[in-house]
Amino acid sequence: MRITLTSVLVDDQDKALRFYTDVLGFVKKTEVPLGEHRWLTVVSPEAPDGVELVLEPDEHPAARPFKAALVADGIPYTAFSVADVHAETERLKALGVRFTQEPLAMGPVTTAVLDDTCGNLIQIVTVQDDAPAG
């Protein structure tokens, strides 16, 4: 068994596609029309055949209250690995991205939390190479 898809609930698929590609740097992998929405996925350009992130419409009645509760409590919906949290934070800030948590070192892990403009907080993470695997 392996993970091939994961999703993030978004309030607008077009806005999400622009943010996740133009700002975060993912690339569109799949786009299939499904009525008023689409099966829409992005991948890392470093792993085009890797895990796909589904930009999932947050239309279910429970989705928006769930997302709002996470944001209100400062809890990221998901996390992405980056080579250098400090450098990535500066790159994203230059593109206008709002951070709710500046880079914070916690032992071998450094994290920062950003607003994806689609109703989610997203954590970016760097783990030092000499850190024990979890």
Side-chain angles (χ1 to χ4, degrees):
M1 189 175 302
R2 62 190 176 105
I3 299 169
T4 58
L5 296 167
T6 190
S7 60
V8 62
L9 297 167
V10 300
D11 58 13
D12 179 306
Q13 285 186 304
D14 291 323
K15 179 174 66 170
L17 183 60
R18 283 189 303 275
F19 183 83
Y20 280 80
T21 57
D22 297 346
V23 177
L24 294 186
F26 292 107
V27 294
K28 182 170 66 170
K29 171 93 178 200
T30 307
E31 183 172 8
V32 177
L34 297 171
E36 70 177 278
H37 300 294
R38 298 166 282 172
W39 178 260
L40 183 60
T41 71
V42 296
V43 294
S44 168
E46 298 171 17
D49 295 320
V51 175
E52 294 179 54
L53 178 66
V54 182
L55 302 178
E56 183 96 31
D58 64 1
E59 296 294 317
H60 187 280
R64 290 184 183 173
F66 168 71
K67 288 170 48 180
L70 290 178
V71 170
D73 289 345
I75 299 171
Y77 187 89
T78 193
F80 303 132
S81 179
V82 298
D84 180 337
V85 166
H86 292 279
E88 190 66 11
T89 298
E90 292 308 311
R91 180 187 81 79
L92 293 172
K93 280 183 173 181
L95 294 172
V97 174
R98 184 178 74 83
F99 279 78
T100 61
Q101 177 200 300
E102 293 295 321
L104 177 64
M106 296 172 279
V109 177
T110 302
T111 66
V113 178
L114 61 94
D115 179 340
D116 78 347
T117 74
C118 302
N120 303 291
L121 299 179
I122 305 294
Q123 185 174 65
I124 56 174
V125 180
T126 298
V127 180
Q128 291 178 350
D129 289 336
D130 59 347

